[in-house]
Amino acid sequence: MRFTARHFLAVLTIVISVVQPAAAAGQVAVSVPIRLDYPLLQQLFSKQLFNEPNNSRTLLNDAGSCNQTLLTEPRLRPKDTNLEIQARVATQLGLGLFGRCFTLINWEGGVSFLGLPVIRSGGTALGLKPQGIWLTGSDGERITSGRLWDYAQQPVRDLFSSFTINLSPFTASVGSLLPDLLPRQSQQQMQDTLASLKLADLQVTDDTLKASLNFTVQSVADALPAEPALSPEELQQWEVRWQTMDALLVFAVKHYAAATHQAALRSTLLDILIDSRYQLVAALAEPIDPSNDLVRTWFVESWQKLSPVVRNIALEQEGKETLMWISVLTATDALYALDQLGPQIGFDISTDGLRRLARMINRGVQPEELRYDEALDPQLRQLFEQQLERRSAVPAAWHINFSLIAPAYAAQNDRLDLWVPAPEEVDEYLTLVAQLLDTSSNAMLHKYKLDKAYHDLFRKLVLATAWQESCWRQFVVKDEQITPLLSSTGDVGLMQMNERVWRGFYDLQKLRWNIAYNSNAGAEVLLDYLVKYAINRNEHTHAGGVDNLARASYSAYNGGPGKASRYRKTDVTAFQKKVDTAFWKKYQKINAGEQSGIARCLGAVS
């Protein structure tokens, strides 16, 4: 029996909280609540006890006495403070004489077992303590006596009460990570923390079986001070750390995407990665403050978004691998609990801790796999291209190299490369850029499917976005040198493709120095956003109609996939509102055929 995300949305939800009950002086109590949803328990129960063909279990097959019992169709559900397990039963009781079997009872019905969840094996496993058992006949009446009852009840009781969930991977994963997260704890303090790890607080609810993983951490007397500025060495360490964090998220997304057969889950993983990259850019734009590390907050929040998706993918794994995957999420969710305590316990996410997390995800990972690499990543490219439906077979070279410019425009593109137009050249320059942007739009419409009703809107969206982002510029003059147009946050070129957001998805050198490549990349992202975050989410059904599709696509392009509806929200910053309004004005002018504003932006003579 297999349960996937199609049958339930939240398979295993782990919500982190920090509690501080009465504890020894200087100690902080931390609780990581674990919530096991019943479909997961059903899966674990079936795999452990009903592992014969067709999800069955032979309880007894004694040919000599002609006694046979077969259990099928197991079901698990909450019942007050207990878990109730039900199954179908087919029993034959007989007597063997002279080589023949004389059947005395041939009965079919059901069996029910009530078990109270308890902690076993020294606090590392969950089991069921029998609270009641009964048979149910075809008439629905309970059977708790008679020969059939005497024969069946004890074997069923023994079988169901043997169900055990080994949660030692949960305690082991958190325990192995803690030393890398608490570098200021002494060896003895860390030993005390690890010794305090235990499961507790079992509770049956309507949706989940709750438990908690508890431990205590010694507070650090001299909490980390807030430095006014980092030294060059500290700044370098800080940069290595956030780059390793980003590399770990990429590694995890690729690993989990490869493990699922569900396109929807792969798409969600990619959405989370891209959206998190936008948030990383915003965090890096803020002043560095060790007492309020926005990059660390970004990393922890990104993992919280990944967790429910990974839990669904975990259910596709066989055997014990399901809990092993979930144990990794418990360790990463524990980051949140410790992050709330921060300086008072000396909490930090070190690069060693990040590498340990990578090895938890995949035991075969090597340290170099977490290297922050600006090279094109074929696996990320494949994940991105899978988001959109292809119109027809496209030459393999187009997938990465973007050789999409028609030969007729080759000479013009050569002219545009490294060209910063003088005022008297603006008209010629804009004509060539308009042709290039239109060619990029057509290339994407040829490569991917888009309803023809939106083709014209998409072309205008590309033109207006390039206007908003760069005034149709790829290059500028700086210190008497021609250089790519680059913002302080890493947005580059004609379409202002952010290098940190799109690292691995595109060739960063070509984004900087090849205007045609930059144009195509921006058009591809806009088409993806138009389909996934505007059309598929029915933005055109809100007040404003079909033009909302362009506005939603740009809001996502500017702020990340999670900001697609920003243009119509009231609870946004003044700056965000100003950006969306400026784009909308430009789009309306493009829609009306007015492009004179671009020439003025470039300083045209006329």
Side-chain angles (χ1 to χ4, degrees):
M1 183 179 295
R2 173 169 292 190
F3 292 82
T4 67
R6 291 175 297 179
H7 301 99
F8 49 89
L9 294 177
V11 178
L12 176 65
T13 304
I14 300 177
V15 180
I16 303 300
S17 66
V18 177
V19 296
Q20 296 182 317
Q27 288 187 339
V28 180
V30 182
S31 179
V32 181
I34 304 172
R35 298 184 179 183
L36 302 169
D37 282 52
Y38 298 121
L40 173 65
L41 295 178
Q42 168 87 52
Q43 183 196 63
L44 295 173
F45 178 81
S46 296
K47 286 182 177 180
Q48 186 176 136
L49 301 183
F50 283 69
N51 48 15
E52 297 176 10
N54 300 316
N55 200 29
S56 65
R57 175 64 180 256
T58 301
L59 199 59
L60 180 64
N61 188 4
D62 186 351
S65 62
C66 303
N67 297 326
Q68 298 178 349
T69 298
L70 182 68
L71 302 180
T72 58
E73 302 178 25
R75 298 178 301 280
L76 183 149
R77 66 173 185 172
K79 184 73 171 180
D80 299 325
T81 60
N82 301 295
L83 294 181
E84 181 179 11
I85 299 172
Q86 298 177 332
R88 297 294 301 168
V89 183
T91 295
Q92 175 183 296
L93 302 181
L95 181 64
L97 291 175
F98 310 112
R100 296 182 61 188
C101 181
F102 296 90
T103 300
L104 302 179
I105 298 177
N106 199 349
W107 183 83
E108 292 187 5
V111 61
S112 297
F113 169 89
L114 276 183
L116 177 69
V118 293
I119 297 174
R120 291 177 174 168
S121 302
T124 61
L126 302 180
L128 297 177
K129 181 179 180 181
Q131 300 296 298
I133 184 172
W134 62 90
L135 301 176
T136 306
S138 58
D139 57 359
E141 292 294 321
R142 291 189 178 187
I143 301 173
T144 56
S145 62
R147 182 176 179 183
L148 179 63
W149 166 254
D150 294 338
Y151 167 77
Q153 63 96 11
Q154 191 60 48
V156 171
R157 183 190 303 270
D158 292 342
L159 176 68
F160 287 175
S161 61
S162 71
F163 175 51
T164 301
I165 306 174
N166 179 17
L167 294 184
S168 60
F170 287 65
T171 57
S173 63
V174 173
S176 65
L177 187 61
L178 285 176
D180 290 318
L181 301 178
L182 302 170
R184 304 190 74 209
Q185 298 282 319
S186 69
Q187 183 176 1
Q188 184 59 53
Q189 287 173 333
M190 183 51 59
Q191 289 177 355
D192 293 343
T193 293
L194 296 178
S196 70
L197 277 166
K198 63 178 181 179
L199 294 169
D201 307 325
L202 293 181
Q203 181 184 0
V204 175
T205 71
D206 291 340
D207 301 318
T208 60
L209 171 61
K210 293 182 179 179
S212 62
L213 181 58
N214 297 341
F215 57 95
T216 59
V217 180
Q218 187 71 32
S219 60
V220 179
D222 53 338
L224 293 174
E227 298 287 344
L230 297 181
S231 68
E233 293 78 11
E234 291 172 327
L235 185 61
Q236 184 177 12
Q237 293 173 358
W238 177 81
E239 185 163 343
V240 168
R241 189 184 63 162
W242 75 252
Q243 290 180 347
T244 307
M245 287 176 175
D246 183 53
L248 177 59
L249 287 175
V250 171
F251 169 78
V253 165
K254 293 195 297 183
H255 176 79
Y256 293 129
T260 181
H261 299 291
Q262 301 184 56
L265 292 180
R266 289 195 298 271
S267 178
T268 302
L269 284 171
L270 191 61
D271 287 351
I272 292 171
L273 174 61
I274 293 175
D275 217 14
S276 77
R277 288 271 186 87
Y278 277 86
Q279 305 314 310
L280 171 61
V281 170
L284 292 175
E286 296 296 324
I288 302 172
D289 182 358
S291 65
N292 183 25
D293 192 341
L294 296 179
V295 172
R296 189 177 70 195
T297 301
W298 153 79
F299 178 74
V300 172
E301 291 179 350
S302 296
W303 267 107
Q304 286 183 292
K305 294 175 184 176
L306 279 175
S307 291
V309 186
V310 175
R311 293 180 196 116
N312 284 335
I313 297 174
L315 283 184
E316 300 179 45
Q317 313 311 307
E318 297 296 331
K320 297 180 180 179
E321 289 302 309
T322 300
L323 282 183
M324 291 298 294
W325 281 43
I326 301 302
S327 70
V328 177
L329 296 180
T330 306
T332 56
D333 282 339
L335 295 175
Y336 180 80
L338 296 172
D339 188 57
Q340 304 306 297
L341 300 173
Q344 68 170 304
I345 58 171
F347 172 63
D348 187 27
I349 302 178
S350 66
T351 53
D352 286 340
L354 296 170
R355 293 188 183 102
R356 186 176 296 277
L357 278 175
R359 288 192 290 272
M360 288 182 186
I361 295 170
N362 184 343
R363 298 176 187 87
V365 69
Q366 299 299 318
E368 59 268 16
E369 295 188 52
L370 290 186
R371 182 166 56 92
Y372 187 86
D373 193 350
E374 293 188 351
L376 194 65
D377 188 322
Q379 193 173 348
L380 286 182
R381 275 300 309 169
Q382 183 182 26
L383 280 173
F384 185 80
E385 290 191 345
Q386 288 174 346
Q387 307 306 297
L388 287 166
E389 186 179 0
R390 288 183 173 276
R391 179 174 295 278
S392 59
V394 179
W398 288 9
H399 295 178
I400 294 177
N401 295 329
F402 287 93
S403 301
L404 302 172
I405 304 301
Y409 294 114
Q412 288 94 324
N413 291 331
D414 290 342
R415 174 80 168 115
L416 287 171
D417 279 337
L418 297 179
W419 187 13
V420 179
E424 65 273 12
E425 298 175 317
V426 166
D427 287 343
E428 178 190 4
Y429 175 84
L430 292 181
T431 298
L432 295 181
V433 174
Q435 292 174 353
L436 173 62
L437 291 169
D438 193 54
T439 301
S440 294
S441 298
N442 288 335
M444 295 306 140
L445 292 173
H446 175 79
K447 184 177 180 180
Y448 301 115
K449 288 186 177 180
L450 178 68
D451 191 308
K452 287 186 177 180
Y454 305 122
H455 281 201
D456 185 58
L457 181 146
F458 171 64
R459 291 188 178 94
K460 293 172 180 176
L461 169 63
V462 172
L463 294 172
T465 298
W467 183 1
Q468 170 84 349
E469 293 295 307
S470 69
C471 273
W472 286 15
R473 295 175 297 167
Q474 177 74 18
F475 303 101
V476 293
V477 176
K478 185 176 181 180
D479 298 329
E480 300 183 354
Q481 297 290 325
I482 294 178
T483 184
L485 177 64
L486 183 65
S487 76
S488 60
T489 55
D491 306 297
V492 66
L494 178 69
M495 303 301 292
Q496 287 290 277
M497 294 287 291
N498 190 277
E499 296 183 340
R500 291 185 178 126
V501 170
W502 298 108
R503 179 182 73 86
F505 293 95
Y506 296 99
D507 185 319
L508 299 189
Q509 288 299 317
K510 289 185 177 180
L511 284 178
R512 296 167 190 163
W513 297 102
N514 188 322
I515 188 173
Y517 186 90
N518 192 294
S519 176
N520 281 305
E524 185 176 48
V525 171
L526 283 170
L527 184 59
D528 177 56
Y529 287 1
L530 172 62
V531 173
K532 286 180 64 177
Y533 309 123
I535 296 174
N536 289 351
R537 296 183 182 178
N538 298 311
E539 285 293 327
H540 50 305
T541 63
H542 296 278
V546 72
D547 287 334
N548 287 353
L549 299 178
R551 303 182 71 180
S553 301
Y554 180 76
S555 287
Y557 190 89
N558 176 262
K563 302 296 184 182
S565 60
R566 186 184 71 186
Y567 73 98
R568 57 181 174 83
K569 300 292 186 180
T570 57
D571 56 340
V572 298
T573 66
F575 177 75
Q576 291 170 336
K577 187 174 183 62
K578 181 179 179 180
V579 169
D580 287 331
T581 300
F583 167 79
W584 174 229
K585 290 179 178 179
K586 292 180 177 67
Y587 179 82
Q588 288 177 301
K589 290 182 178 180
I590 291 290
N591 196 32
E594 299 177 12
Q595 300 180 17
S596 58
I598 307 174
R600 289 194 296 271
C601 178
L602 290 176
V605 173
S606 60

